[in-house]
Amino acid sequence: MRLDRAVALVALLAAGCSRPPAGPGAAAPAAAPPVTVVKVEKRPVKRVVEQPGAVHPFEETVLHARVGGYVQKLDADIGTRVTRDQVLAELAVPELEEEFKQKEALVRQADAEVTQAKKALAASAAGVAAAKAHVVEAEAGLGRAQAVYVRWQSEAERIGRLVAGGVIDTQTRDETLNQLKSAEAGRAEATAKVTSAGAAVAKADADRDKAAADVAAADARLDVARAGVRRTDALRAYTRIKAPFDGVVTRRTANTGDFVAADGRHGLFAVARLDPVRVVVNVPEADAGLVDAGTAVSVALPTAGAPVSGKVVRTSWALDPGSRTLRTEIDLPNPGGKVRPGMYVVAKLTAELPAEWAVPAAAVGKANDEPVVFLAEGGKAVRVAVQFHRGDAQHTQVRRYRRPGTADWTDFTGAESVAAPAAAVTDGQALP
């Protein structure tokens, strides 16, 4: 037995002597990182969401023909920088020009009818005045006839008394009665003339009212004719295809001489507004709640130099049902036009979360696919499962912890301390 031990000792010594010496450049074994104990404290954290995106025009409008016609002239092509209301193409529509001339002629005709109707109204007003003058004249004649009647009536009564007294003969009485009858007939005639003159006034009033209605109708026809001219002139304006805003023509599908229909199916041009541009980033569902208008963002364009700082301007608020992502848009100034639609970008969105109980990021480890931390209790490390919010490169916000063998969760209160880094700690290890 002693012999065997001696042989083994000799073998070990021989092996030690045969090991090659370490070279001068050999690295020393890596030392384990020191374990520290830190208090749980409330800290805000910054969450950085990095996602690819793409550049889009701020606006892009497809221009269609409003009236059918032939392309008479093209004034723009793809790549042409245009300003608002600049003419890009002109259409030839001869029948529309003829219709415009016809509408103008109808306006002149309606204007003449208004003049004619107004003159007829003036004549009717003069007729009313004349009829009223005839009424005055007839009433004056009636007054004279009434006076004559009264005179002969009084005379007839006087003569009758004289005849009864035997002063004069009956012949004089008969002549007086005849004069009375004549005066009575004259009075009746004058009364009829007054009635006739009144009827003439009523007719003149009716004629005047009709003439006024004719003037109103003529004015209405003139308004209709003018509206027709304006409508046709508006259609004529559509023969000039204009840019809706300052931008660049990105697509052209028409050629000189082409017939274009006003069916809205085929656009003649596409014009894009490129200052500013929209950067569109689709944020995953897990981070969608962190992004809102005003969120700080850094946009890196591989072909445009240094990253550009900006803010989120708008989001779709609702997630896309297919991709479960939130459409997020950032507006970037582009005065020189260096940034072009379709460019690839990488956007870093930084959201600052409110302060919560937090531990160093290195204090969170994993055991059995479950996040854990090591509480410092009684000078020893106690491994507990942990629930956390979010974190950044330095700190992780924690919510609750659960001790081994229990089902209840305990909220962090700030009285706890944890050991870090978790990778260098074992359950039950003595802590400094």
Side-chain angles (χ1 to χ4, degrees):
M1 187 69 176
R2 290 178 180 176
L3 180 60
D4 293 339
R5 289 180 178 178
V7 172
L9 179 60
V10 171
L12 288 174
L13 291 174
C17 294
S18 63
R19 181 181 298 169
V35 175
T36 59
V37 176
V38 295
K39 291 281 291 181
V40 176
E41 57 183 354
K42 281 199 171 184
R43 284 180 176 272
V45 298
K46 289 186 176 180
R47 174 71 172 172
V48 178
V49 180
E50 183 173 340
Q51 289 293 323
V55 177
H56 294 254
F58 189 78
E59 294 179 276
E60 187 168 20
T61 302
V62 179
L63 305 179
H64 297 264
R66 178 65 177 81
V67 293
Y70 293 92
V71 178
Q72 178 174 279
K73 184 181 179 183
L74 286 174
D75 296 313
D77 207 336
I78 57 172
T80 302
R81 291 188 174 272
V82 296
T83 57
R84 181 184 177 90
D85 292 331
Q86 180 177 333
V87 177
L88 308 183
E90 297 180 20
L91 305 181
V93 190
E95 62 272 24
L96 191 58
E97 294 298 326
E98 294 303 318
E99 182 180 353
F100 180 71
K101 294 177 182 178
Q102 179 192 19
K103 299 294 185 183
E104 286 187 320
L106 290 176
V107 168
R108 293 192 295 271
Q109 179 183 359
D111 192 36
E113 290 176 353
V114 168
T115 301
Q116 182 179 7
K118 288 182 177 179
K119 290 182 178 180
L121 176 60
S124 298
V128 170
K132 288 182 178 180
H134 288 158
V135 169
V136 173
E137 181 181 358
E139 288 176 345
L142 177 60
R144 288 194 302 273
Q146 179 66 24
V148 171
Y149 173 77
V150 170
R151 175 182 177 277
W152 284 110
Q153 186 179 37
S154 176
E155 184 69 14
E157 291 175 355
R158 187 180 67 82
I159 295 299
R161 289 194 299 271
L162 293 175
V163 170
V167 177
I168 60 175
D169 55 14
T170 58
Q171 182 179 358
T172 302
R173 183 192 61 188
D174 292 341
E175 291 177 358
T176 301
L177 290 174
N178 288 335
Q179 288 293 338
L180 177 60
K181 291 178 181 179
S182 176
E184 186 177 8
R187 185 183 67 173
E189 180 183 3
T191 301
K193 286 182 178 180
V194 169
T195 303
S196 176
V201 169
K203 181 179 182 302
D205 283 337
D207 290 342
R208 182 194 57 193
D209 293 342
K210 179 179 180 302
D214 289 343
V215 170
D219 282 335
R221 286 193 294 272
L222 179 59
D223 289 341
V224 171
R226 286 173 175 168
V229 169
R230 290 194 297 269
R231 178 184 180 278
T232 308
D233 196 37
L235 291 175
R236 290 172 71 223
Y238 288 130
T239 61
R240 295 179 293 277
I241 310 300
K242 298 180 180 180
F245 41 72
D246 296 355
V248 176
V249 177
T250 58
R251 188 167 73 250
R252 174 187 65 82
T253 61
N255 295 290
T256 304
D258 283 350
F259 176 77
V260 294
D263 54 9
R265 297 181 181 177
H266 306 289
L268 306 183
F269 296 92
V271 178
R273 180 179 172 187
L274 302 181
D275 186 19
V277 292
R278 296 176 190 257
V279 174
V280 178
V281 179
N282 294 316
V283 177
E285 180 179 4
D287 296 315
L290 303 177
V291 180
D292 203 351
T295 301
V297 62
S298 173
V299 179
L301 296 95
T303 60
V308 180
S309 297
K311 292 184 178 181
V312 173
V313 177
R314 65 191 71 83
T315 71
S316 62
W317 190 80
L319 301 184
D320 178 77
S323 62
R324 304 294 181 188
T325 56
L326 177 72
R327 180 183 174 95
T328 303
E329 295 186 358
I330 304 102
D331 294 346
L332 292 183
N334 190 30
K338 293 181 179 180
V339 181
R340 302 191 179 194
M343 281 185 170
Y344 174 84
V345 302
V346 176
K348 292 183 179 179
L349 299 98
T350 303
E352 184 166 333
L353 303 179
E356 299 285 352
W357 296 117
V359 299
V364 180
K366 183 171 282 191
N368 300 324
D369 293 329
E370 185 177 37
V372 297
V373 296
F374 291 90
L375 296 179
E377 294 180 344
K380 292 185 178 182
V382 179
R383 188 178 71 189
V384 295
V386 66
Q387 291 180 344
F388 53 86
H389 292 286
R390 297 178 184 272
D392 54 22
Q394 286 77 36
H395 295 87
T396 300
Q397 292 180 337
V398 291
R399 296 175 56 196
R400 303 184 296 178
Y401 62 90
R402 186 183 63 198
R403 297 180 181 277
T406 65
D408 296 330
W409 291 89
T410 303
D411 293 332
F412 280 94
T413 63
E416 299 84 2
S417 297
V418 296
V425 182
T426 59
D427 192 22
Q429 174 181 333
L431 297 176

